[in-house]
Amino acid sequence: MIAELEIDLGAIRANVRRLAELVRPARFAAVVKANAYGHGLEPVAQAIGPEVDAMCVYRTDEATALRGAGITCPILILGPIEPCDLAFAHQARAAMTMWSRNGFRRDAAAVARRGGRRFDVHAKIDTGVTRLGLEPDGAAEAIAAYLSDPDFDLRGVYTHLAAAEELESEFTLAQLATFRRALAPLDGVLRERRVARHAAASAAAILFPALRLDLVRAGIATYGIWPSPQTRAAASEAIELEPALTWRTNLVVVREVEAGRSIGYGCTFHTARRSRIGVLPIGYAEGIPRSAGGRAEVLIAGKRAPIVGRICMNMAFVDVTDVPLAHAGSSVTLIGADGDERIDANDLGEHADTIGYEIVARLPAEIPRRYLAREAAIVARTS
Ligand SMILES: *Cc1c(COP(=O)(O)O)cnc(C)c1O
C-alpha cells in the first residue's frame, strides 16, 4: 500500500442527519462536487441518498454518474453546462443553473422539447460574490421569463454568500437583503409555484438561521469538516460534526543519520542532532501540499512527528527521532486519529497556507478508498 483513504460512511450519514435536523424546516441538499470533496462520489451518494432532499454537483458528468449509481433525488448542477452536454443533463433529470437572461435558453428549450419533458432550472442571482448570477436589478424580469416558458420548470432561485464564515457578517446580511429585494416582485408567484429559495452553504446553514430559507446546500460540513475555525468556535456546542476521512501511508525506510545531515531538495533542513528520518512514499502528486514541508505533522505510533525538508513529488520526510517505535512499515496518519492524537483536514491546511476544503478536494481519485459502513468494510473500486 502506497497510501489509503478510509471513509467512514456512518460518520457522513450521522453528519447529514444532524445538519438536516438543525436546519429543519428547511430542506437539506448535500453538495457532492469534487468527488464528494475527495471522499468518493458514488459510495458517498449511495450512503446518504435516502437521507437528503437533493444533491448538488458542479458538472454534468457528475449528475450522470449519480444517476448511474442509482441516485433518484433531485440533482442541481451548480456550474456551467457545455452546450453539447445539455442533452445529457436533461437525460439525467438534473436541474441546470441559469444566470443570464438568455444563455442557452433556446438550446435548452430545444433539448426539452426533443426529450418530451420540461428542463428543471434554478435561477441564480449574484448578491456579492461577483461570480455567476443575474444582477439583482432585472433578475425578477429574467426569472419571470423562465416561469412563463413552457419548456422550463423553475424549481429554485438562489444566491451564494461571500463571507458567511465570519460571525455577524454585515456583508452576509446585506446579501440576504439584496436577494429578498430582487425577488420581491415575484414573492406571490414563487410561493404559489413552490419555488425553493436558497442561499446557505455549510457555514451560513450552521451560523445564520435567517439564511436557511427553504433549502441549504451543505458540502464541507457533510464530511465532518468545519468550514473555518471561527465557525467551529462559534457552533461546536450547537452541532457535532464527525470527520469521515482518514489518510494513511507507511514509512518506506527509517534512516539513522548523524547531526548536520542535509535532508531533501534545496538542502532546506539539516539535522540538529543524531536523528532518525523516515521516508514517506507519497508527496505533492499524491496530495500533500508542497507548502506543508517543514511545517505539518503526521501521527506515528500515537505520537506526532514533524514533516521536515521539502515535500518531493512522490515522497516526503518525517523526523521520527522522538518516536522510538517508528520503523520501516510503520503506519503514518496524515489526516485522522492515532491513539489520543488527531489531525484534521483544517490542521493540515493551516500548515500549508490553505483550508481543509483544498486539502480534501485535491486528494487524487486514484488513491484507493476503503469504505466503512457500520460493521462491514467495503473495498470499492476506484477506477
Ligand atoms: C461548493 C458550494 C456549496 C457548498 O459549500 P460548503 O461551504 O462546502 O458547504 C454551496 N453552494 C455553492 C454554489 C457552491 O459552489
Side-chain angles (χ1 to χ4, degrees):
M1 178 194 76
I2 295 296
E4 181 184 79
L5 293 168
E6 187 182 276
I7 315 292
D8 183 347
L9 295 174
I12 297 178
R13 247 191 322 252
N15 294 329
V16 164
R17 286 196 193 127
R18 289 187 193 114
L19 288 160
E21 173 72 31
L22 179 74
V23 304
R24 232 187 299 277
R27 279 173 280 152
F28 184 86
V31 180
V32 296
K33 65 192 179 189
N35 198 24
Y37 290 51
H39 292 63
L41 177 64
E42 284 135 0
V44 166
Q46 286 166 340
I48 62 176
E51 318 274 343
V52 304
D53 297 300
M55 292 191 199
C56 299
V57 296
Y58 189 76
R59 294 190 315 241
T60 305
D61 61 318
E62 297 167 321
T64 303
L66 286 179
R67 292 300 182 220
I71 301 303
T72 56
C73 68
I75 296 173
L76 168 60
I77 299 175
L78 300 167
I81 302 177
E82 293 286 321
C84 59
D85 281 342
L86 280 167
F88 294 114
H90 185 259
Q91 257 165 34
R93 285 170 290 116
M96 63 172 207
T97 296
M98 178 278 285
W99 54 76
S100 71
R101 188 169 284 260
N102 288 312
F104 299 139
R105 180 146 160 214
R106 206 177 311 156
D107 292 344
V111 164
R113 256 172 271 143
R114 247 192 330 266
R117 171 168 48 80
R118 291 169 176 238
F119 216 133
D120 287 346
V121 58
H122 289 233
K124 187 167 191 189
I125 301 178
D126 174 42
T127 58
V129 180
T130 319
R131 202 171 59 179
L132 301 178
L134 296 155
E135 286 291 336
D137 291 341
E141 204 185 318
I143 293 168
Y146 275 85
L147 272 168
S148 60
D149 189 320
D151 294 317
F152 293 94
D153 207 346
L154 186 76
R155 296 302 186 122
V157 285
Y158 73 103
T159 192
H160 193 48
L161 304 169
E165 294 82 5
E166 292 166 24
L167 303 182
E168 288 155 50
S169 160
E170 279 173 36
F171 197 84
T172 297
L173 298 176
Q175 284 195 265
L176 176 61
T178 304
F179 186 56
R180 286 196 197 284
R181 209 175 319 113
L183 292 174
L186 300 172
D187 270 349
V189 62
L190 293 179
R191 208 168 312 119
E192 193 182 305
R193 301 269 291 263
R194 296 157 161 264
V195 177
R197 294 165 312 142
H198 48 114
S202 296
I206 294 170
L207 295 176
F208 290 86
L211 277 138
R212 291 172 191 157
L213 304 177
D214 300 322
L215 175 81
V216 304
R217 310 181 302 266
I220 198 83
T222 295
Y223 308 99
I225 301 169
W226 287 92
S228 66
Q230 301 95 300
T231 316
R232 177 182 207 147
S236 56
E237 302 277 297
I239 185 166
E240 188 193 343
L241 296 177
E242 278 177 59
L245 180 144
T246 299
W247 184 15
R248 285 203 195 93
T249 183
N250 296 105
L251 291 176
V252 183
V253 292
V254 174
R255 306 277 307 271
E256 308 264 354
V257 299
E258 68 279 18
R261 269 290 273 269
S262 174
I263 307 295
Y265 289 132
C267 308
T268 57
F269 178 80
H270 292 83
T271 51
R273 53 181 171 165
R274 200 176 156 71
S275 300
R276 299 174 73 233
I277 301 296
V279 178
L280 309 185
I282 59 176
Y284 57 79
E286 286 81 22
I288 309 178
R290 189 167 177 276
S291 49
R295 299 164 67 191
E297 295 173 323
V298 299
L299 304 178
I300 302 172
K303 298 187 86 172
R304 289 179 179 267
I307 295 183
V308 295
R310 285 197 182 146
I311 311 276
C312 316
M313 188 179 287
N314 299 116
M315 280 185 265
F317 309 93
V318 289
D319 185 341
V320 295
T321 315
D322 297 327
V323 190
L325 287 177
H327 56 83
S330 285
S331 173
V332 177
T333 303
L334 291 107
I335 296 177
D338 182 356
D340 296 333
E341 296 283 354
R342 167 177 283 283
I343 293 173
D344 70 25
N346 281 317
D347 298 328
L348 179 51
E350 212 167 299
H351 286 125
D353 295 323
T354 184
I355 52 178
Y357 287 86
E358 184 178 353
I359 298 292
V360 292
R362 296 181 78 153
L363 288 170
E366 302 76 48
I367 302 179
R369 284 156 173 80
R370 205 156 63 87
Y371 290 93
L372 305 181
R374 299 217 181 100
E375 302 84 11
I378 308 154
V379 181
R381 268 192 33 233
T382 50
S383 54

